[in-house]
Amino acid sequence: MALPNPTDLAVPGFVALVLIEMIAVKLTHPQRYEPRDTLTSLGLGLGSVVSGVIFGGLLGGFALAVWQYRLFDIGWQWYWFVIAFVADDFFYYLVHRAGHRIRWLWASHVIHHSSQHYNLSTALRQTWTGAFSMGILIKLPLFLIGFHPAMLAFVGGINLIYQFWIHTEAIDKMPRWFEAVMNTPSHHRVHHATNPRYLDKNYAGVFIVWDKWLGTFEPERADEPPRYGIVKNLGSFNLLWSAFHEWVAIAKDVWAAPTLTAKLGYMLMPPGWSHDGSRDTSEIIKARWLQRQQREQQLGSDAWKKPISSSSAADQAAAPSPVA
């Protein structure tokens, strides 16, 4: 059954909304858009489309080959599309989480996080090397169950369209019931943040319930605005460097690694892992931050417990009373 590609149909709408947001935000918060950053995002989006045309057939052929060994024959009735959408979103969560925990997959996904701005153009900052990283392997159970690759590609496209609008600071919070179930701009701002509190949180595509169920949810806090980008920002708007910098870094690390185990570690362990412990993973960053938080809380608690000296008491007695 031939199905259209929803994302291809949505591209004109994406561009129009980016322009509308850019004009609106320029009048109120001009710092949220940086022209060079926006151009880089648009260039990465265009490159992703080209990459999809080149490699999409290979991935589709691989998926069809796996689908031949399916356990069930799932039809094309509308309700199967609904079930496929929910199932695909859960597996999107798994792929997305793996993309932050396995460096080989992170090398493709890091492109999406490399902007230090958060606006609708950031949503277009997509990978050129997704086929090479082979994250599709995590979705093999869906093909083996019996969902046709074309059906999954269709609902996956709708998933990506949904995710476009959540890349904005122009929307604060949605209604509480919506925030409880769905992914929103507030939830996804957390995901793009480098604050230690927010690292490796909110992997959801459409339904935030996966994060709440599996312990990776973190709400956005008004007293801690997100800082966007990656732990070590690129410091460049070079299009090719944005697309391939992590692959270059992996190649250098693997080449210099002293053992086979270390070489594999630089490909398969979380970003920031090193064979000698000289770098920081997100776990180390968060643990150090938590220790600092606990230390500051303890110091604050101890300050209240200190007895007031006689001179301090006299000073306080002489001090004027506060004006109501």
Side-chain angles (χ1 to χ4, degrees), residues 18 53 61 148 190 220 253 264 299:
V18 167
V53 171
H148 195 281
V190 166
E220 183 182 29
D253 286 338
L264 291 173
L299 287 173

Side-chain angles (χ1 to χ4, degrees), residues 301-320:
S301 175
D302 291 345
W304 284 102
K305 295 177 183 178
K306 288 181 180 179
I308 300 175
S309 64
S310 57
S311 59
S312 297
D315 291 342
Q316 287 189 10

Side-chain angles (χ1 to χ4, degrees), residues 70-239:
R70 61 192 180 278
L71 298 175
F72 307 101
D73 287 316
I74 292 178
W76 297 91
Q77 294 86 351
W78 66 268
Y79 50 84
W80 283 118
F81 280 86
V82 174
I83 295 171
F85 182 81
V86 175
D88 178 76
D89 189 59
F90 175 65
F91 274 83
Y92 173 89
Y93 168 90
L94 298 178
V95 172
H96 194 182
R97 185 169 178 172
H100 282 255
R101 309 305 303 140
I102 300 172
R103 194 183 181 193
W104 187 265
L105 298 179
W106 173 246
S108 286
H109 185 57
V110 67
I111 291 174
H112 186 59
H113 285 264
S114 58
S115 174
Q116 291 179 254
H117 299 266
Y118 193 77
N119 50 60
L120 291 177
S121 75
T122 308
L124 305 180
R125 190 175 281 238
Q126 297 294 328
T127 182
W128 295 6
T129 57
F132 183 64
S133 64
M134 291 300 290
I136 192 175
L137 293 176
I138 299 174
K139 288 192 173 185
L140 289 185
L142 291 175
F143 305 130
L144 292 172
I145 288 171
F147 291 104
H148 195 281
M151 179 184 289
L152 292 174
F154 180 79
V155 298
I158 296 175
N159 191 306
L160 289 178
I161 291 173
Y162 178 90
Q163 291 186 53
F164 175 77
W165 76 278
I166 62 177
H167 290 83
T168 185
E169 291 185 288
I171 299 173
D172 182 21
K173 295 273 189 177
M174 299 298 291
R176 183 176 297 181
W177 66 266
F178 196 86
E179 294 276 345
V181 179
M182 309 297 290
N183 200 6
T184 65
S186 177
H187 296 328
H188 205 57
R189 285 193 290 267
V190 166
H191 178 68
H192 275 257
T194 60
N195 314 44
R197 181 191 304 277
Y198 296 151
L199 283 175
D200 294 336
K201 298 294 184 180
N202 299 6
Y203 296 111
V206 174
F207 301 112
I208 198 65
V209 292
W210 310 130
D211 285 286
K212 293 183 176 182
W213 176 34
L214 295 172
T216 53
F217 175 70
E218 182 70 33
E220 183 182 29
R221 294 170 55 123
D223 62 346
E224 188 169 349
R227 299 187 301 272
Y228 304 113
I230 50 181
V231 171
K232 185 178 180 181
N233 286 307
L234 297 181
S236 169
F237 297 108
N238 183 286
L239 194 63

Side-chain angles (χ1 to χ4, degrees), residues 21-37:
E21 184 194 47
M22 188 185 303
I23 294 169
V25 168
K26 277 291 185 182
L27 299 175
T28 54
H29 301 87
Q31 73 279 4
R32 290 182 180 175
Y33 265 93
E34 209 289 337
R36 293 171 297 174
D37 180 81

